[in-house]
Amino acid sequence: MRPDIQPHLQIVPRDQHNVSRRDISPNALRVLYRLREGGFHGYLVGGAVRDLLIGGHPKDFDVATNATPEEVKSLFRNCRLIGRRFRLAHVVYGREIIEVATFRASSDDGSGDRELHEGGRVLRDNVYGTIEEDAIRRDFTANALYYAIEDFSVRDYTGGYEDVRNRLMRLIGDPETRYREDPVRMLRAVRLAAKLDFEIEAATAAPIPQLAPLLRDAAPARLFEECLKMFLSGHAVKSFLGLERHGLLPALLPETAAALKSNRTGALRRMLLEGLKGTDARVANDEPVSPAFLFALLLWPAYCRALATLQAQGVHEAEAQRRAADRVTVHQLETLALPRRFSLPMQEIWLLQSRFSQRQRKRVFRLLSHPRFRAAFDFLTLRMAASEEHADDVAFWREAQTASGDALSAQLDAQREALGTEEGDGPRKRRRRRRKTANGGE
Ligand code: ATP
Ligand code: MG
């Protein structure tokens, strides 16, 4: 047992809380009852209990038990064991999986499968424990509540019930120690506070700015996952403001943080927030959101800055764009494991931005049929939110998407004549192809 944390059981009886079986997944209830029939203790735990207490709708239901994974497996036909170091049981009902974890003794990152690591961080654990130990190895008090199927009470070992009522994210134990064990908890504090509309309790918030750099040593794959949860679950704006407020942005998105700082007009930050607002609206409407677009947005300030630097060095436009895109991606990969299937379309969205100012017929049609056109156009629209400069382009391309091919051709011809330009699509004009174009830098 951790010497620094003393669990103290408080039982909140059924008539004093609002967790109702009606709101619990029938499959999770099945698991709880079956464990009980098997002679074990089973509890609903973690995010689900917390969310139910504040009237939310949990997306998944986790169960904690004193049965070992093998014992769990013997109770359910539809059960498979996963995880190498710490084994977990998954009870599978069609598309719903109820995760059943045996109480465990020491702290970890909740992933159930962890590598050894130096420097005071939590190492691995494969030691089963008591419910008290299981409670105090969790991160926040609000996440350490247990709903018992035998009497429908909520078991609270860390003061979480009170904290949920006061809408507070409070780390269990000494905050600095807990962040050093697992720096990702800093992001979880911000993310969960944003999602639940909680405050981060003062002592829990205090060490964050100073410890933020520890995030650089966190596993890049985990940080990427955490980012997706933070920005693609409908609370992106609040999460971003939380990251800023608690000094986490430079650790998570270093180049974007630097670019925002040096952008005096604030246009880049405005655009970023506008984009995140759009993302939240899409999630609220059940529309799809893509990691590629999200990262195009999050790293756009960094891209613009890198591009400006290269331009100042006299690098040719198209080359500068390509190099800026690569540079930003490579640097960001040091902290975040952004898979190529997202980073490639992200770069395409950036590189397409410079093509919206081109109006030659062939280029217009080529861009319209580009697989990334829609995303790039949506991105252009966002840039207009930050600077009116793009209004003409947005208007043109909005029309172009709906116009028939003939109408668009006629319009482009008319425009060309009005401008008296020679440039057309005729074979003789090819030498003008590589002309300089306006760039995407803001
Ligand atoms: P969400 O609503 O986003 O799923 P959650 O609290 O359920 O939030 P999960 O990542 O699903 O978050 O984790 C389930 C539970 O595991 C948490 O409620 C917490 O008790 C525990 N846990 C998760 N991550 C950590 C961590 N880094 N350190 C300690 N405990 C953790
Ligand atoms: Mg969860």
Side-chain angles (χ1 to χ4, degrees):
M1 178 91 59
R2 306 178 64 108
D4 53 326
I5 309 171
Q6 282 307 319
H8 171 74
L9 174 62
Q10 185 208 344
I11 296 180
V12 186
R14 176 62 189 94
D15 59 358
Q16 284 173 37
H17 68 70
N18 63 334
V19 177
S20 157
R21 272 171 297 164
R22 265 200 323 247
D23 303 323
I24 299 174
S25 138
N27 292 324
L29 290 174
R30 257 176 220 123
V31 169
L32 293 173
Y33 284 123
R34 186 89 195 85
L35 284 168
R36 190 174 175 215
E37 287 160 20
F40 300 103
H41 294 290
Y43 302 87
L44 195 63
V45 68
V49 181
R50 175 199 71 206
D51 291 356
L52 289 170
L53 280 171
I54 56 170
H57 303 280
K59 55 181 173 7
D60 42 38
F61 292 86
D62 296 337
V63 167
T65 180
N66 63 340
T68 65
E70 288 71 22
E71 286 168 335
V72 175
K73 190 165 170 53
S74 71
L75 290 176
F76 299 92
R77 265 181 309 136
N78 48 334
C79 174
R80 52 169 199 253
L81 300 186
I82 62 147
R84 281 171 301 145
R85 293 211 162 76
F86 190 89
R87 309 196 80 194
L88 291 170
H90 276 181
V91 186
V92 185
Y93 296 96
R95 291 176 57 193
E96 189 180 21
I97 294 176
I98 306 297
E99 188 171 289
V100 184
T102 306
F103 297 143
R104 61 184 106 156
S106 59
S107 187
D108 78 328
D109 62 9
S111 69
D113 200 315
R114 237 180 112 77
E115 296 295 326
L116 270 160
H117 232 296
E118 288 128 55
R121 293 203 280 138
V122 175
L123 317 176
R124 45 176 270 203
D125 65 322
N126 48 9
V127 192
Y128 301 129
T130 61
I131 187 170
E132 287 85 358
E133 289 169 319
D134 191 77
I136 61 172
R137 60 102 189 160
R138 292 176 186 272
D139 47 7
F140 301 96
T141 62
N143 287 348
L145 294 166
Y146 297 72
Y147 171 82
I149 203 68
E150 59 243 44
D151 58 3
F152 314 124
S153 68
V154 169
R155 312 276 169 106
D156 176 6
Y157 295 89
T158 63
Y161 182 72
E162 191 61 25
D163 286 337
V164 170
R165 288 172 64 111
N166 295 322
R167 300 190 95 88
L168 283 178
M169 294 308 300
R170 183 198 306 273
L171 270 174
I172 300 171
D174 171 56
E176 178 162 347
T177 311
R178 301 306 310 278
Y179 290 135
R180 285 192 185 279
E181 280 172 1
D182 178 10
V184 175
R185 288 174 183 149
M186 295 187 273
L187 294 181
R188 286 178 55 85
V190 166
R191 172 171 76 79
L192 291 170
K195 165 180 155 158
L196 305 166
D197 210 5
F198 277 29
E199 287 291 318
I200 304 177
E201 177 269 331
T204 298
I208 297 181
Q210 200 200 331
L211 299 180
L214 293 177
L215 274 179
R216 304 214 174 137
D217 306 322
R222 246 185 108 204
L223 288 183
F224 173 69
E225 287 303 321
E226 201 55 37
C227 261
L228 293 187
K229 283 197 192 175
M230 197 149 43
F231 293 115
L232 297 182
S233 311
H235 315 278
V237 170
K238 269 208 241 162
S239 297
F240 185 83
L241 297 177
L243 290 177
E244 278 188 331
R245 175 153 147 224
H246 296 281
L248 287 165
L249 208 54
L252 197 62
L253 304 167
E255 300 207 342
T256 286
L260 292 179
K261 205 167 160 191
S262 64
N263 179 234
R264 295 228 165 71
T265 62
L268 288 171
R269 183 171 179 277
R270 267 201 306 285
M271 173 192 161
L272 189 46
L273 286 171
E274 200 56 37
L276 295 178
K277 205 164 111 192
T279 309
D280 287 346
R282 290 182 69 92
V283 175
N285 293 329
D286 266 332
E287 292 171 272
V289 285
S290 91
F293 192 88
L294 170 71
F295 279 95
L297 189 62
L298 290 174
L299 297 177
W300 176 251
Y303 171 75
C304 290
R305 190 163 182 248
L307 186 59
T309 307
L310 289 161
Q311 284 167 333
Q313 291 165 359
V315 180
H316 182 274
E317 191 54 44
E319 173 70 10
Q321 290 171 15
R322 238 186 343 264
R323 272 163 58 181
D326 281 340
R327 189 176 291 182
V328 168
T329 309
V330 167
H331 285 179
Q332 186 61 54
L333 283 174
E334 291 169 16
T335 10
L336 268 174
L338 184 60
R340 275 171 71 81
R341 67 177 186 284
F342 301 133
S343 66
L344 293 180
M346 168 188 84
Q347 295 186 337
E348 269 184 314
I349 291 173
W350 291 339
L351 298 181
L352 286 173
Q353 296 306 307
S354 63
R355 288 172 48 181
F356 286 115
S357 52
Q358 303 173 355
R359 293 290 191 282
Q360 300 96 310
R361 180 207 306 252
K362 207 154 86 185
R363 292 184 181 200
V364 167
F365 282 103
R366 208 188 288 150
L367 183 51
L368 277 173
S369 61
H370 193 287
R372 214 64 68 194
F373 170 79
R374 187 66 217 190
F377 173 75
D378 288 348
F379 201 83
L380 176 71
T381 312
L382 280 178
R383 292 171 61 205
M384 189 178 72
S387 137
E388 272 307 310
E389 194 186 317
H390 307 291
D392 286 348
D393 286 341
V394 169
F396 171 82
W397 290 95
R398 181 166 288 141
E399 288 262 319
Q401 288 172 71
T402 49
S404 73
D406 288 347
L408 183 56
S409 280
Q411 185 197 344
L412 290 168
D413 287 346
Q415 253 171 24
R416 197 177 63 202
E417 274 174 18
L419 291 171
T421 49
E422 286 282 289
E423 183 149 28
D425 303 310
R428 282 169 295 135
K429 302 293 188 315
R430 294 200 74 82
R431 66 195 156 78
R432 299 190 56 170
R433 274 197 69 202
R434 290 196 65 85
R435 290 227 11 193
K436 245 185 151 185
T437 55
N439 75 69
E442 233 78 272

